Amino acid sequence: MTESDQALAERLQKRFAGKLLSTLVAVSEVTIEISPADLLEICTALRDEEEFAFGQLVDLCGVDYSTWGHAQWQTEAANTGFSRGVAEAEESQELSWKPRARFASVYHLLSHSNNQRLRVRTFPDDDNPVVDSVVGIWSSANWYEREAFDLFGIMFEGHEDLRRILTDYGFVGHPFRKDFPLSGNVEMRYDVEQKRVVYGPVEIEPRTLVPRVIRANTDDPVSEDTQH
């Protein structure tokens, strides 16, 4: 944690007293959590007020926290599962944090004049994930919001052209949601006779494997057969 990060966190807490759900300073990053109802007001202030001056939205993404904190998943290659490297909560301030809901819309901001970065996170409703569009504040949010809608199903109210941007026409579901099957819902291929792309049921079996790489022992002397 730097003095600059701590000072930013204190200014945010003072300016938006009562509206910040939490303020976290960890690994040289400042993160604030706010209610969806306060999103436009706070983001406008973060852009316009000189002490913040976050004039650039670097990125906007969706997150699905439905399996957050699960240390392992079962695989066909190991009986004990594959560790995600999740440490005990008491060992890390970051891991002691708990998501407030399943979905989150996350905004990464940059202030060129103050040379600072800020992460803003808000949690829409699980059953109806809707937040206000920030395109009117940062125009770069246009495609970012379409991506979060396409992959996570988060709706951005006020977006004038909220449609899919990465998946195919007629795609069903949102592929970055944790409950979306890894193998997908349909298969597509090009049919030579029909001269078009056709869809069909998924034929592959969903599997989760731990990648294994076999490397030669570098301590062994190189044989004559492998020198050429």
Side-chain angles (χ1 to χ4, degrees), residues 13 47 70 90 96 136 143 176 197:
Q13 290 173 328
R47 181 197 64 181
H70 293 194
E90 60 268 21
S96 65
W143 282 18
F176 275 19
V197 174

Side-chain angles (χ1 to χ4, degrees), residues 163-181:
R163 55 192 170 92
R164 293 185 183 272
I165 192 172
L166 294 177
T167 54
D168 191 22
Y169 298 105
F171 190 91
V172 177
H174 304 283
F176 275 19
R177 289 190 173 188
K178 300 296 184 177
D179 53 6
F180 190 86

Side-chain angles (χ1 to χ4, degrees), residues 2 24 104 174 192:
T2 66
L24 175 66
H174 304 283
V192 178

Side-chain angles (χ1 to χ4, degrees), residues 2-13:
T2 66
E3 294 183 3
S4 176
D5 294 332
Q6 186 60 39
L8 173 60
E10 293 174 357
R11 292 200 307 272
L12 289 165
Q13 290 173 328

Side-chain angles (χ1 to χ4, degrees), residues 46-57:
L46 290 174
R47 181 197 64 181
D48 294 343
E49 296 183 10
E50 186 175 356
E51 63 176 331
F52 303 118
F54 288 102
Q56 181 178 356
L57 174 68

